[in-house]
Amino acid sequence: MLSELSEWFWQERRWFPEGLGWADLEDRDGRVYAKARDLWVALPIALIFLIIRQIFERMVATPLASLLGVEDTVRLKVPHNPTLESYYCNITKNPTQSSVASLCKKTGYSERQVQRWFRRRRNQDRPSLLKKFREASWRFTFYLLAFIAGLAALIDKPWLYDLKEMWQGFPVLTLLPSQYWYYMIELGFYGSLLFSVASDVKRKDFKEQIVHHVATILLISFSWCVNYIRCGTLIMLVHDSSDYLLEVKPHLILYTDGKHCNLSIICGI
């Protein structure tokens, strides 16, 4: 069944104009072409990114946060109560008035004590300012470096200035080493974001984030398989040129050391 589906999906008439086929994309005479099996390289790259991220957040982002005056938030821990903890984890973090009354009977707490417990428990789960800063710093750094590297790879390519050149000779377009690594690094990065999304700061658009990462991975993979390499690199360059700016949300923090006023810009919070 799977072999028949694969054969149907990769039919030459589906992917090539008349007179061309997969045989035309076989490597020969020093000419290299994109192949679907190349995409597996992105998996180890994604794992490497996860390791680099941990090192970056500890060795770079944390000292930078300290330099800018971003401190880890100290939150009061609520007293352990199995009944309230079970309700908080398994049912809801915001109990209704009737639920509060029921919990009062089970725990012996007053209504105000139960409400205070849930309020402090929610605050305890809120991500710290330092954690947000580290995550935003990592994404900002990657997008900025990816944009610079992508621009360096495309600056001398004619299709950067003339879009007609982008399709010249399509679909038999040879693959350049710079295009190969640009694709694999971008794909590996978005793979690492997908792997780490569960442990990152959980935002209100958590589900949309997952859909975005999956859609990005699929689009990059699809453009690779159908040899939209030139088009794909241009689109990634445009996205990278704005993504690093989206990670910078300037917050001016004015603080004093008793004698002088200092102004800091905190990024991505």
Side-chain angles (χ1 to χ4, degrees):
M1 179 65 181
L2 290 177
S3 60
E4 293 177 357
L5 180 61
S6 176
E7 185 178 349
W8 171 83
F9 183 78
W10 295 110
Q11 286 181 14
E12 292 184 347
R13 63 182 179 83
R14 193 179 308 281
W15 300 101
F16 294 93
E18 187 176 354
L20 293 175
W22 295 112
D24 296 292
L25 297 183
E26 291 295 328
D27 298 346
R28 64 171 66 89
D29 301 328
R31 297 168 66 89
V32 180
Y33 300 94
K35 301 174 186 62
R37 62 176 179 268
D38 295 335
L39 297 175
W40 290 108
V41 176
L43 286 178
I45 292 178
L47 297 177
I48 292 172
F49 268 126
L50 292 174
I51 296 172
I52 295 175
R53 174 178 175 175
Q54 294 300 315
I55 298 173
F56 175 88
E57 290 186 357
R58 294 181 183 182
M59 305 298 293
V60 179
T62 301
L64 179 61
S66 178
L67 183 65
L68 294 174
V70 181
E71 299 179 354
D72 205 354
T73 309
V74 179
R75 305 190 189 280
L76 294 175
K77 290 189 176 182
V78 296
H80 181 65
N81 187 298
T83 303
L84 297 180
E85 185 69 26
S86 175
Y87 190 93
Y88 180 88
C89 294
N90 301 321
I91 300 178
T92 181
K93 299 178 181 180
N94 297 280
T96 61
Q97 191 64 33
S98 59
S99 298
V100 170
S102 174
L103 290 169
C104 288
K105 295 178 182 179
K106 294 179 180 179
T107 60
Y109 284 6
S110 67
E111 183 175 310
R112 187 173 181 179
Q113 286 177 317
V114 171
Q115 291 172 340
R116 185 187 301 118
W117 190 96
F118 274 93
R119 184 173 62 254
R120 289 182 176 176
R121 185 65 179 83
R122 288 193 297 269
N123 286 336
Q124 188 176 311
D125 276 355
R126 288 176 59 191
S128 68
L129 199 63
L130 180 59
K131 181 175 175 61
K132 291 180 179 180
F133 180 87
R134 287 197 299 247
E135 291 183 9
S137 298
W138 165 246
R139 292 191 298 268
F140 169 83
T141 301
F142 173 81
Y143 289 135
L144 179 60
L145 293 178
F147 169 63
I148 295 172
L151 188 60
L154 293 172
I155 195 70
D156 60 341
K157 304 301 185 294
W159 54 86
L160 179 63
Y161 311 98
D162 183 1
L163 295 184
K164 293 180 180 179
E165 291 288 336
M166 186 167 58
W167 304 109
Q168 190 69 34
F170 179 83
V172 187
L173 300 176
T174 56
L175 179 66
L176 302 174
S178 59
Q179 294 172 324
Y180 173 87
W181 286 111
Y182 193 16
Y183 255 83
M184 294 303 113
I185 289 174
E186 288 276 352
L187 192 57
F189 177 74
Y190 281 103
S192 71
L193 289 184
L194 187 61
F195 294 153
S196 64
V197 70
S199 60
D200 287 345
V201 173
K202 193 170 184 179
R203 298 177 174 82
K204 294 180 181 179
D205 61 346
F206 176 75
K207 294 180 180 178
E208 289 80 1
Q209 265 190 316
I210 295 178
V211 172
H212 170 268
H213 296 335
V214 172
T216 302
I217 290 171
L218 291 177
L219 286 172
I220 293 176
S221 302
F222 175 79
S223 68
W224 178 267
C225 292
V226 298
N227 216 12
Y228 288 173
I229 306 298
R230 294 178 181 177
C231 177
T233 51
L234 288 178
I235 292 174
M236 289 190 295
L237 180 68
V238 171
H239 277 273
D240 289 336
S241 68
S242 60
D243 281 344
Y244 76 91
L245 295 175
L246 294 177
E247 295 298 334
V248 181
K249 303 173 184 176
H251 291 258
L252 300 181
I253 298 181
L254 188 66
Y255 62 94
T256 177
D257 57 5
K259 295 182 180 179
H260 305 91
C261 287
N262 302 285
L263 193 63
S264 293
I265 299 179
I266 308 304
C267 303
I269 307 171

